């Protein structure tokens, strides 16, 4: 899944909260909806966006829908953030070196 799709899915506060909740273990749709003041269809839509982005997997157990976080989908986000962190750390290091060399002058 493209990184932009993952970020778009995570950009919504409700969906981000769903991912945080699922990071503690799988949950039913009812359990996911409990902390939010939204309708069942709205929760289904939010979970659907996360499923389409590959962040969440849902399966039916009888009449219950159970959702599970797909951590592999977040690996690309983690890699991107790692690259960005490396870039900023090296930039700050170069700035520190420059400032220190100016202090020596």
């Amino acid at each position: 899944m493209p990184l932009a799709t993952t970020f778009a899915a995570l950009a919504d506060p409700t969906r981000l909260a769903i991912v945080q909740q699922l990071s503690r273990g799988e949950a039913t749709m009812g359990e996911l909806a409990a902390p939010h003041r939204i309708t069942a269809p709205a929760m289904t839509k939010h979970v659907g966006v996360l499923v389409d982005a590959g962040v969440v997997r849902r399966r039916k157990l009888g009449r219950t829908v159970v959702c599970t976080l797909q951590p592999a989908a977040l690996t690309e986000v983690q890699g991107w953030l790692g690259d960005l962190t490396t870039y900023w750390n090296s930039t700050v290091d170069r700035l520190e070196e420059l400032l220190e060399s100016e202090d020596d002058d």
Side-chain angles (χ1 to χ4, degrees):
M1 205 54 54
L3 190 58
T5 302
T6 305
F7 276 122
L10 297 175
D12 181 87
T14 300
R15 290 192 290 270
L16 190 56
I18 291 168
V19 169
Q20 288 172 330
Q21 186 175 351
L22 290 174
S23 72
R24 296 185 292 276
E26 67 181 21
T28 65
M29 292 291 282
E31 291 167 338
L32 291 175
H36 308 282
R37 294 179 162 255
I38 60 174
T39 64
M43 179 54 69
T44 300
K45 185 173 180 178
H46 280 298
V47 169
V49 170
L50 292 168
V51 168
D52 291 346
V55 176
V56 170
R57 181 175 58 96
R58 68 182 158 201
R59 67 186 193 286
K60 286 194 98 173
L61 292 175
R63 293 175 40 173
T64 304
V65 177
V66 179
C67 298
T68 308
L69 186 62
Q70 297 294 100
L74 300 176
T75 301
E76 188 177 1
V77 172
Q78 185 178 14
W80 182 82
L81 289 172
D83 291 345
L84 200 56
T85 300
T86 300
Y87 167 76
W88 282 110
N89 286 341
S90 67
T91 300
V92 169
D93 290 345
R94 286 194 309 269
L95 178 59
E96 284 177 349
E97 291 169 7
L98 177 66
L99 293 174
E100 286 173 4
S101 70
E102 286 183 2
D103 285 343
D104 292 341
D105 292 339

